[in-house]
Amino acid sequence: MSDTNAVRLNAQVRIVGTGLLGASIGLALRSQGIDVALADASPSSVHLATDLGAGRPAHADDQPKIIVVCVPPDVTADVIEAELKAFPNAVVTDVASVKLAPLHQLQARGVDITHYVGGHPLAGRERGGAISARGDLFLGRPWVVCRDEETPAWALALVEDLVLDLGAVPIEMTPEAHDEAVGLVSHVPQIVSSLMAKQLEGASDEAVRLAGQGVRDVTRIAASSPELWIQILGANKDSIVGVLENLQKDLQSVTEALRDVDAPGARKVIAEEMAAGNAGVARLPGKHGQNRRYAQIVVLIDDRPGQLAQLLTELGELNINLEDLRLEHAEGAQMGMVEFSVVPEVRETLIAELTKRDWRVAY
């Protein structure tokens, strides 16, 4: 989030929709002294967001310079149209995770979209609603900004100022490129996560007790709202189906190879699919957008107060910069497993130093 003295957006902001994203935007802007007017079809939602500090209830005489529409995808176009008509001098943007569908709806209705700039923050949480809102939700996250040839430069600049004040990273894309990209990196992963989690529904209690970080990583986003995802997936079906078909072919190849793993070429098929996964994950950006890979170390700690804090303090004393960290509790034991990532060149030295300090390094 920007420092108060460096706020770019010196204007009233109207937020329509006070769920997780709308309330999080309000919290971030209010922390910088920006006047935020909140509107929602549900008065109680506005009151809750107001109580949480995300802004104030909207007034009839408000004159916002920018409006952020944060409503479900199936009503996004309707609300954008209404806001453009109600505030013709304001720029209207949105946070919908699909960009082509609302754009086509607006164009089909003949709406003047000169002051509309589509947006989509790649940020969120498994839980929704204003009660889950966080002012730092967008820090360092990509925020796609969609423009066309009719978008005035000043309108685009206003939206990008908003994004920067929220601490996000604006990325200009066409609506077509955006929908294709999120179909691959967001929408299909949601389907895969949900379908994997579905397999746990009929599993035995013994099997579920063995669940480690692998299955937790794969199913982390499976708790998302089915009602919301029906809208998102339906609106972006053209970008999603092709990826699912490719995934289906790969799954079929591995399935057939495993039916008879001793058949000629079966192991080669499995190895090539796994290796392709290595190549794919290596393309994911790491810290600060870099493609650098990191080494992992797992340290066992007692499940008692102060252990994690002591470990982190000693890592600081060793002048070690952590690139990532996660904590997992061991099943049936009073201990936790701290896995952290470091640059590969310090891994062996760090293991030796931690062992010398009586920390239990698992691997």
Side-chain angles (χ1 to χ4, degrees):
M1 206 178 307
S2 301
D3 181 80
T4 305
N5 296 325
V7 173
R8 297 169 177 81
L9 193 65
N10 187 20
Q12 184 185 101
V13 178
R14 173 178 166 90
I15 297 175
V16 184
T18 53
L20 171 64
L21 296 183
S24 293
I25 292 170
L27 287 172
L29 296 178
R30 283 299 305 134
S31 71
Q32 300 173 79
I34 294 174
D35 180 22
V36 177
L38 303 173
D40 195 292
S42 166
S44 63
S45 294
V46 172
H47 294 321
L48 174 59
T50 300
D51 288 346
L52 292 171
R56 58 168 176 80
H59 301 148
D61 59 351
D62 283 338
Q63 294 295 322
K65 193 171 182 179
I66 185 168
I67 300 167
V68 189
V69 173
C70 307
V71 298
D74 61 347
V75 294
T76 294
D78 297 336
V79 176
I80 290 172
E81 180 179 8
E83 294 298 312
L84 286 170
K85 290 179 179 177
F87 301 95
N89 295 321
V91 171
V92 177
T93 187
D94 70 311
V95 299
S97 58
V98 177
K99 303 278 39 110
L100 271 178
L103 177 63
H104 287 166
Q105 291 176 42
L106 293 168
Q107 291 172 331
R109 299 172 189 175
V111 177
D112 182 357
I113 56 173
T114 305
H115 288 182
Y116 166 61
V117 181
H120 177 210
L122 277 297
R125 303 184 70 186
E126 292 79 35
R127 297 171 295 170
I131 197 66
S132 300
R134 291 173 43 172
D136 62 354
L137 186 66
F138 309 103
L139 288 180
R141 302 300 301 165
W143 189 307
V144 177
V145 179
C146 296
R147 66 176 301 181
D148 58 32
E149 60 278 2
E150 298 180 6
T151 304
W154 65 267
L156 180 68
L158 195 63
V159 174
E160 291 189 343
D161 282 346
L162 168 73
V163 173
L164 291 169
D165 279 345
L166 294 172
V169 181
I171 299 175
E172 287 191 35
M173 297 179 74
T174 65
E176 293 81 1
H178 167 272
D179 283 9
E180 183 176 350
V182 295
L184 174 63
V185 303
S186 176
H187 301 167
V188 170
Q190 176 65 53
I191 296 172
V192 171
S193 179
S194 295
L195 294 181
M196 180 61 226
K198 178 187 174 185
Q199 306 308 307
L200 301 174
E201 192 175 13
S204 67
D205 291 342
E206 289 80 3
V208 174
R209 286 186 65 192
L210 297 178
Q213 199 59 43
V215 71
R216 294 179 191 278
D217 284 348
V218 173
T219 60
R220 181 182 62 82
I221 57 175
S224 299
S225 166
E227 294 80 10
L228 175 62
W229 276 100
I230 288 171
Q231 298 180 38
I232 295 172
L233 299 178
N236 200 27
K237 60 184 185 299
D238 293 338
S239 298
I240 293 170
V241 169
V243 181
L244 287 177
E245 288 175 341
N246 289 336
L247 185 60
Q248 188 174 35
K249 291 175 185 176
D250 291 338
L251 285 171
Q252 187 63 33
S253 295
V254 174
T255 301
E256 292 303 320
L258 287 173
R259 289 188 195 281
D260 186 0
V261 75
D262 292 323
R267 287 184 173 84
K268 179 174 181 290
V269 168
I270 298 170
E272 287 178 344
E273 293 288 356
M274 302 298 284
N278 295 159
V281 77
R283 294 201 62 201
L284 294 176
K287 187 176 179 181
H288 307 311
Q290 300 172 357
N291 289 324
R292 187 172 190 181
R293 299 297 100 195
Y294 299 108
Q296 279 70 44
I297 298 175
V298 175
V299 178
L300 304 179
I301 63 172
D302 294 331
D303 191 8
R304 56 188 174 84
Q307 282 285 284
L308 180 58
Q310 182 181 342
L311 174 60
L312 296 177
T313 298
E314 294 190 23
L315 289 171
E317 292 171 354
L318 293 169
N319 198 30
I320 297 297
N321 185 40
L322 298 185
E323 309 298 336
D324 198 4
L325 180 147
R326 66 182 180 185
L327 177 65
E328 179 182 359
H329 285 89
E331 178 65 31
Q334 295 298 310
M335 69 171 59
M337 294 178 286
V338 183
E339 178 182 324
F340 49 89
S341 303
V342 295
V343 292
E345 52 265 32
V346 306
R347 183 177 188 274
E348 296 306 319
T349 301
L350 181 55
I351 290 175
E353 288 291 339
L354 289 173
T355 303
K356 203 186 307 182
R357 292 169 179 241
D358 295 327
W359 291 102
R360 292 171 290 175
V361 181
Y363 57 87

